Amino acid sequence: MNSDNKRTYEALMRLSKGYTTSDLHLLTNRSSAHRFMPALHEAAAGANLLILNGDIFDFQWSIYPDVEGSLEYVEDWIEHLVARHRNCRFVFLMGNH
């Protein structure tokens, strides 16, 4: 294990609480993520780590007419989440978990 991986591992071992979520499918008409946002924020507020584990955003079925609109929404969503929960570390796993 190299020194960077060891430091990351040791930091993760010091975490006291973490959560994971997936399949929010934000950007789509069929997403029901709005129902889970209060719970997501509550989890992030009480956690040191939140793993967003695939299918958080669904660009293929985006309600936005172009990639730029979709990316603007995604950037705003991530910035808001991180800014609201400064004591929580976020890990985004891309793709279909």
Side-chain angles (χ1 to χ4, degrees):
M1 180 179 298
N2 70 37
S3 61
D4 287 338
N5 287 344
K6 185 176 181 183
R7 282 193 297 277
T8 300
Y9 173 79
E10 289 170 352
L12 289 172
M13 291 301 101
R14 287 191 297 272
L15 295 174
S16 60
K17 188 184 275 188
Y19 295 96
T20 186
T21 190
S22 65
D23 294 291
L24 296 178
H25 293 279
L26 296 171
L27 301 175
T28 69
N29 282 328
R30 64 180 189 259
S31 175
S32 58
H34 63 280
R35 294 188 333 210
F36 303 105
M37 286 301 116
L40 181 76
H41 286 290
E42 183 178 337
N48 302 95
L49 176 68
L50 182 63
I51 298 172
L52 297 152
N53 188 31
D55 286 339
I56 301 303
F57 306 105
D58 195 333
F59 287 91
Q60 182 175 0
W61 306 108
S62 179
I63 60 173
Y64 294 93
D66 54 34
V67 173
E68 290 79 16
S70 296
L71 288 174
E72 184 176 326
Y73 173 86
V74 168
E75 289 173 1
D76 289 346
W77 189 87
I78 292 170
E79 286 175 5
H80 175 74
L81 181 66
V82 171
R84 186 169 169 183
H85 305 288
R86 297 250 181 233
N87 293 323
C88 187
R89 180 178 180 193
F90 295 92
V91 176
F92 285 83
L93 300 178
M94 302 302 290
N96 186 9
H97 52 88

